[in-house]
């Protein structure tokens, strides 16, 4: 699964390949989203060269997107995990879609952060 994002008038499309299985086991608990509630994500953009925080944003996801994200993480937890295969799969995706903007064009779900509808 890839998480793609952009920050209007600040940051063009960027992406991150993610798997709940890459975080410590004790942090893999995925609470069910409550019907009608929004999931909050804090985004911190850090300059890799200086370590200085360049931007911080809090973004909400609609109840629909929150449910989609929860299901995706639950599916990851239910499936067997092979770290080497995970890394290889990410490399294959980047070989096919070398730019985040290309990945965004084939995304399964698009949502504008803070919107009320997915």
């Amino acid at each position: 699964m890839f998480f793609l994002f952009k920050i209007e008038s600040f940051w063009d499309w960027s992406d991150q390949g993610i798997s709940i299985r890459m975080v410590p086991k004790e942090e893999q608990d995925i609470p069910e989203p409550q019907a009608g509630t929004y999931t909050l994500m804090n985004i911190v953009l850090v300059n890799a060269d200086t370590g200085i925080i360049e931007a911080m944003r809090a973004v909400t996801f609609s109840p629909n997107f929150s449910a989609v994200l929860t299901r995706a993480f639950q599916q990851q937890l239910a499936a067997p995990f092979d770290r080497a295969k995970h890394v290889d799969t990410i490399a294959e995706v980047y070989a096919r879609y070398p730019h985040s903007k290309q990945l965004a064009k084939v995304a399964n779900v698009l949502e504008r952060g803070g919107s009320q509808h997915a």
Side-chain angles (χ1 to χ4, degrees), residues 1-93:
M1 175 168 57
F2 284 80
F3 188 82
L4 294 106
F5 60 93
K6 73 177 182 174
I7 301 171
E8 295 283 336
S9 304
F10 182 76
W11 196 261
D12 202 8
W13 282 107
S14 191
D15 64 81
Q16 179 64 52
I18 58 175
S19 173
I20 191 72
R21 301 299 274 293
M22 297 294 286
V23 300
K25 195 155 189 75
E26 61 273 8
E27 295 177 27
Q28 292 181 10
D29 183 41
I30 305 166
E32 287 290 332
Q34 301 299 312
T37 61
Y38 295 77
T39 298
L40 177 68
M41 173 186 266
N42 293 309
I43 301 170
V44 180
L45 182 62
V46 178
N47 183 314
D49 295 326
T50 65
I52 295 174
I53 295 174
E54 300 285 341
M56 293 175 30
R57 301 283 192 277
V59 174
T60 56
F61 301 137
S62 71
N64 179 59
F65 185 77
S66 299
V68 168
L69 194 58
T70 297
R71 282 193 305 273
F73 283 135
Q74 289 170 335
Q75 288 172 350
Q76 286 182 345
L77 283 175
F81 181 69
D82 179 317
R83 186 178 299 264
K85 186 173 184 336
H86 172 74
V87 170
D88 289 345
T89 300
I90 289 173
E92 289 170 13
V93 170

